[in-house]
């Protein structure tokens, strides 16, 4: 069964420094997608970045990058130059399968990591 | 373009009462989802729909029912609320697979307390 593990319940980082949030996954499917969402204290879920299992390069979106190590089944989120506004919960999620159909498109979420950025 | 909206934003119920949460999306998405979020648990899928008139069970469906009579709306019903259903409920929608990143778009959430 597919599973997402985020082992860091909470993390602190100094403003302007980089931080890595860990995510490991378990799946028997060869085709899958990995997502990171941010949830600030206001509660909304904000999509950050996506990595497909067949993508050869690590995904990047502005200050966010995804360190994808397929053999180790890890998909760590790297935030460069942390800002106070980065303080939030961060969720890693996985979708199995090439497309939606039945349960193939459903996301499985990890329990999240609470990031606090110190000034 | 409002995206995904949820009604209501907050609600307090007494045990045994019923209610319906409404989710609406204006992006013409085929797929819609209901999640619940509990402290330390992440998001868990309750029910989902892959198209108008179709629904399916997710990870934690017990105590909930859903309906998708119109493509843009996805309703979540609690027939007899229990304190264990105190949670934050999120609705999400997504387009049919486009062969690339297709994240789910989330609504703002509904905070439900059952006393």
């Amino acid at each position: 069964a597919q599973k997402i593990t985020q082992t860091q319940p909470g993390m602190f980082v100094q403003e302007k420094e980089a931080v890595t949030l860990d995510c490991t996954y378990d799946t028997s499917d060869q085709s899958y997608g990995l997502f990171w969402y941010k949830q600030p204290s206001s509660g909304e879920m904000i999509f950050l970045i996506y990595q497909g299992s067949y993508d050869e390069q690590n995904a990047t979106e502005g200050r966010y990058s995804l360190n994808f190590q397929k053999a180790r089944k890890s998909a760590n989120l790297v935030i460069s130059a942390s800002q106070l506004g980065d303080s939030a919960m961060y969720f890693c999620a996985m979708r199995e399968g090439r497309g939606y159909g039945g349960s193939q498109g459903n996301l499985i979420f990890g329990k999240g990591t609470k990031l606090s950025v110190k000034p | 373009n409002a995206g995904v909206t949820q009604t209501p934003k907050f609600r307090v119920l007494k045990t045994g009462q019923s209610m319906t949460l409404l989710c609406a999306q204006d992006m013409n998405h085929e797929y819609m989802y209901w999640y619940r979020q509990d402290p330390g648990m992440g998001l868990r899928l309750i029910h989902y729909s892959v198209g108008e008139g179709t629904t399916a069970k997710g990870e934690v469906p017990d105590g909930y029912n859903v309906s998708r009579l119109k493509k843009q709306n996805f309703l979540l019903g609690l027939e007899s609320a229990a304190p264990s259903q105190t949670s934050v409920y999120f609705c999400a929608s997504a387009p049919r697979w486009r062969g690339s990143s297709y994240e789910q778009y989330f609504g703002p959430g509904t905070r439900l307390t059952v006393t």
Side-chain angles (χ1 to χ4, degrees):
Chain A
Q2 55 180 319
K3 184 179 179 181
I4 293 285
T5 302
Q6 295 180 254
T7 58
Q8 306 152 313
M11 287 193 70
F12 290 91
V13 64
Q14 202 68 36
E15 192 179 9
K16 299 182 184 177
E17 291 185 349
V19 63
T20 298
L21 306 184
D22 293 342
C23 173
T24 59
Y25 60 92
D26 188 19
T27 178
S28 57
D29 205 330
Q30 294 300 310
S31 176
Y32 51 89
L34 296 155
F35 299 78
W36 278 91
Y37 282 85
K38 172 184 178 182
Q39 187 179 43
S41 58
S42 53
E44 71 268 31
M45 296 290 288
I46 302 168
F47 166 72
L48 295 178
I49 196 167
Y50 163 83
Q51 178 86 40
S53 59
Y54 292 113
D55 295 341
E56 294 186 353
Q57 292 193 330
N58 288 341
T60 60
E61 290 286 348
R63 293 186 299 111
Y64 304 108
S65 60
L66 201 152
N67 185 359
F68 181 47
Q69 298 186 43
K70 196 170 182 177
R72 298 180 61 184
K73 293 189 174 179
S74 73
N76 299 339
L77 177 70
V78 180
I79 305 175
S80 63
S82 296
Q83 302 172 356
L84 295 178
D86 294 334
S87 293
M89 283 290 290
Y90 288 82
F91 292 97
C92 180
M94 178 174 67
R95 183 202 66 244
E96 282 184 335
R98 286 186 174 272
Y100 291 102
S103 63
Q104 287 178 325
N106 295 342
L107 288 177
I108 300 296
F109 284 84
K111 294 184 178 181
T113 295
K114 184 174 183 179
L115 178 67
S116 299
V117 180
K118 294 192 271 189
Chain B
N1 190 341
V4 181
T5 58
Q6 293 182 230
T7 309
K9 289 186 170 53
F10 303 94
R11 185 73 185 267
V12 178
L13 286 179
K14 294 185 177 179
T15 298
Q17 287 184 322
S18 63
M19 76 164 295
T20 300
L21 282 67
L22 171 64
C23 174
Q25 52 94 4
D26 61 2
M27 297 175 281
N28 201 35
H29 285 170
E30 291 290 336
Y31 303 104
M32 297 188 74
Y33 308 83
W34 275 108
Y35 295 90
R36 62 176 288 171
Q37 183 180 23
D38 303 297
M41 295 294 293
L43 276 73
R44 292 182 293 169
L45 184 64
I46 304 171
H47 286 279
Y48 64 99
S49 168
V50 299
E52 183 178 320
T54 70
T55 63
K57 294 179 180 180
E59 180 187 355
V60 288
D62 293 342
Y64 305 95
N65 56 75
V66 288
S67 64
R68 182 106 180 263
L69 299 180
K70 294 182 179 180
K71 185 177 182 179
Q72 63 268 31
N73 295 338
F74 195 28
L75 279 63
L76 178 71
L78 287 73
E79 290 186 349
S80 180
S84 61
Q85 294 178 304
T86 293
S87 189
V88 179
Y89 292 85
F90 284 97
C91 176
S93 71
R96 193 184 298 273
W97 178 60
R98 299 172 299 186
S100 60
S101 168
Y102 44 107
E103 75 270 19
Q104 294 181 10
Y105 297 77
F106 282 81
T110 294
R111 187 173 294 275
L112 175 66
T113 302
V114 183
T115 61

